[in-house]
Amino acid sequence: MIVEILIYLFIAIGLTFNLLAVIGLLRFPDVYTRLHAGTKCTTFGSIFLCLAVMIHALRIWYLNGEPSSSIMPIHTLIALIAILITNPTGAHAIARAAHRSGVKPVKAVVDDLEEDRECHSKKSST
Amino acid sequence: MKAFAVTAIVAFVAYLILTAGSGHLALWSIDEIIIGVILSIIVGILSRGIFVKKSYRMLNPKRWLFGLAYIGPFFIAMAKANLDVAYRVITGKIRPGIVKISPNLKTDLGITMLANSITLTPGTLSVDVDEKSNDLYVHWINVKDEAMKKMPRDYRYVCKNFPDWIRRIAE
Amino acid sequence: MMGSLFLGASVFLVICIVLAMIRVIKGPTVPDRVVGLDTINTLVVVAMILCGAASRESIYIDVAIVYALLSFITTILIARYLEGGEI
């Protein structure tokens, strides 16, 4: 009973954050803020959805005790770890590529990276 | 020899995790274990120079314990980050900027872990890294004025005490 | 009971994917489109895991692992291409 409530709760949290990620992706003004929404919220939502699947599969394994039932929770854990490692790295790569291809942050208060790059290009040109 | 042993054991553990549930010998069947031993010996011979780079500091179990303890504060910070982003998605209040921080980490593993942690924690996203000095450039969604006073910026405003944790884990 | 719950959750994720598709089509710059694609990849992986749980087929989850790793490589390749480096 309590396991089912946990599964419902985790699925609700996960779907809410995934929906928020997509809304943020549509609402924010530039690439970097969109990456904020598209990376953090999807990762967090995925953690909760994978946890729900893992609890469900662990309960099946506990109820029937077959070794082949252990495949699902373990592989879900592997998929979750793959998401956790690859998602921020991909976001970092996109942000770097966006900055190098000349996309400026909208309404930026400060941009240290741009200043440093200008310093470098002046040094190398003189 | 030590490099070969470390690589082969890691490969064997990875194989065991991927094939769990294939038989009745505590989840594994005997065929899978034999094939796993053969394959991990081959992998250990072929890629020991790539997987292990001189230093064996990650063999220290204390670092792994610190790594497990790091999950707690990290998960709390991540939950906060998501509530923060949710608030900004709904209201649309942003004050973005790119700031430079110097966390003084030396190893590649440490700087990778810090960059990924920064990306997943409140309001920040790592954009670029200076490969000579290991300084990070961080896109910050809500720039605070007190962090702007000196150069390079104080990292405590951006990522709290995560660099200290990572120094204990990876350096 | 649980099966239809997981199936409903994955249908919800498909709606999210369609919404993210708007950003891929509209996005003013190329990095915007890549951000949309990256989000879609993560959502597809999670939807595959939920489908696997709904139909009790663990092979779907293996496909999801491979999809996650391949989509990561795709994102890195596009990013390298955008910043003008050698692939």
Side-chain angles (χ1 to χ4, degrees):
Chain A
M1 186 59 203
I2 192 149
V3 177
E4 284 184 8
I5 293 173
L6 261 184
I7 292 174
Y8 278 102
L9 189 70
F10 280 0
I11 286 186
I13 295 174
L15 290 183
T16 314
F17 275 104
N18 276 337
L19 184 65
L20 273 175
V22 176
I23 295 173
L25 199 66
L26 293 176
R27 264 188 63 131
F28 275 148
D30 72 326
V31 182
Y32 304 101
T33 41
R34 275 174 204 150
L35 266 175
H36 275 280
T39 310
K40 285 193 192 83
C41 290
T42 49
T43 313
F44 199 63
S46 311
I47 288 177
F48 276 98
L49 288 174
C50 288
L51 273 180
V53 173
M54 272 164 69
I55 292 171
H56 176 66
L58 280 175
R59 190 176 62 162
I60 293 175
W61 185 23
Y62 177 74
L63 286 181
N64 70 9
E66 296 253 329
S68 59
S69 304
S70 69
I71 296 177
M72 201 191 271
I74 292 173
H75 283 207
T76 312
L77 185 65
I78 296 170
L80 178 60
I81 291 172
I83 290 175
L84 273 182
I85 294 174
T86 58
N87 226 347
T89 317
H92 172 71
I94 298 171
R96 194 169 104 142
H99 205 279
R100 293 208 174 163
S101 64
V103 180
K104 301 269 182 301
V106 175
K107 291 193 283 182
V109 188
V110 57
D111 194 342
D112 290 343
L113 180 55
E114 190 65 39
E115 288 164 18
D116 278 16
R117 193 160 291 155
E118 275 165 15
C119 285
H120 271 292
S121 56
K122 265 178 206 160
K123 262 182 212 162
S124 56
S125 62
T126 48
Chain B
M1 190 58 212
K2 205 174 169 186
F4 163 72
V6 170
T7 316
I9 289 172
V10 170
F12 187 57
V13 169
Y15 190 85
L16 283 188
I17 292 173
L18 277 167
T19 56
S22 55
H24 286 274
L25 197 78
L27 297 184
W28 294 277
S29 67
I30 201 90
D31 321 0
E32 291 282 6
I33 292 178
I34 293 168
I35 293 192
V37 169
I38 296 169
L39 282 180
S40 56
I41 286 172
I42 295 172
V43 169
I45 290 169
L46 288 181
S47 62
R48 62 182 190 277
I50 305 167
F51 189 70
V52 182
K53 296 255 166 65
K54 282 181 228 162
S55 139
Y56 290 95
R57 64 183 193 288
M58 290 313 286
L59 284 181
N60 188 348
K62 223 162 95 185
R63 294 180 187 279
W64 289 87
L65 284 181
F66 273 123
L68 281 181
Y70 179 57
I71 293 175
F74 179 69
F75 195 79
I76 293 170
M78 202 171 156
K80 262 194 227 158
N82 282 282
L83 294 177
D84 185 66
V85 172
Y87 169 74
R88 282 175 211 291
V89 167
I90 293 162
T91 59
K93 272 186 208 159
I94 48 170
R95 191 165 179 270
I98 295 181
V99 296
K100 177 185 183 182
I101 57 168
S102 0
N104 289 324
L105 294 169
K106 288 180 199 70
T107 56
D108 282 353
L109 178 66
I111 205 78
T112 312
M113 275 180 74
L114 183 66
N116 280 5
S117 304
I118 281 177
T119 301
L120 291 175
T121 50
T124 49
L125 176 85
S126 49
V127 175
D128 207 342
V129 56
D130 187 337
E131 272 154 29
K132 277 183 205 124
S133 58
N134 276 349
D135 290 345
L136 279 173
Y137 296 92
V138 176
H139 182 268
W140 200 357
I141 204 167
N142 186 29
V143 177
K144 286 187 192 127
D145 283 325
E146 52 269 37
M148 301 281 297
K149 279 169 197 156
K150 59 180 187 210
M151 191 73 200
R153 325 290 185 195
D154 193 350
Y155 63 73
R156 281 179 206 292
Y157 292 104
V158 179
C159 50
K160 302 201 191 84
N161 54 357
F162 286 164
D164 304 335
W165 273 100
I166 284 164
R167 203 163 293 132
R168 266 177 253 153
I169 296 169
E171 302 211 333
Chain C
M1 182 54 213
M2 276 293 158
S4 56
L5 174 70
F6 286 124
L7 208 61
S10 68
V11 169
F12 187 88
L13 283 183
V14 171
I15 297 170
C16 286
I17 291 171
V18 172
L19 284 175
M21 213 62 187
I22 298 173
R23 178 50 71 199
V24 178
I25 295 165
K26 220 170 75 176
T29 62
V30 183
D32 281 309
R33 293 172 210 267
V34 183
V35 173
L37 212 63
D38 195 38
T39 311
I40 288 178
N41 282 332
T42 315
L43 293 178
V44 165
V45 171
V46 183
M48 274 184 192
I49 291 174
L50 286 172
C51 271
S55 59
R56 297 198 181 186
E57 289 278 358
S58 57
I59 194 82
Y60 289 178
I61 297 172
D62 296 348
V63 177
I65 297 170
V66 176
Y67 186 90
L69 297 176
L70 282 181
S71 70
F72 168 66
I73 293 172
T74 316
T75 308
I76 296 285
L77 267 181
I78 297 174
R80 287 290 283 183
Y81 174 68
L82 281 181
E83 67 185 53
E86 284 173 24
I87 294 172

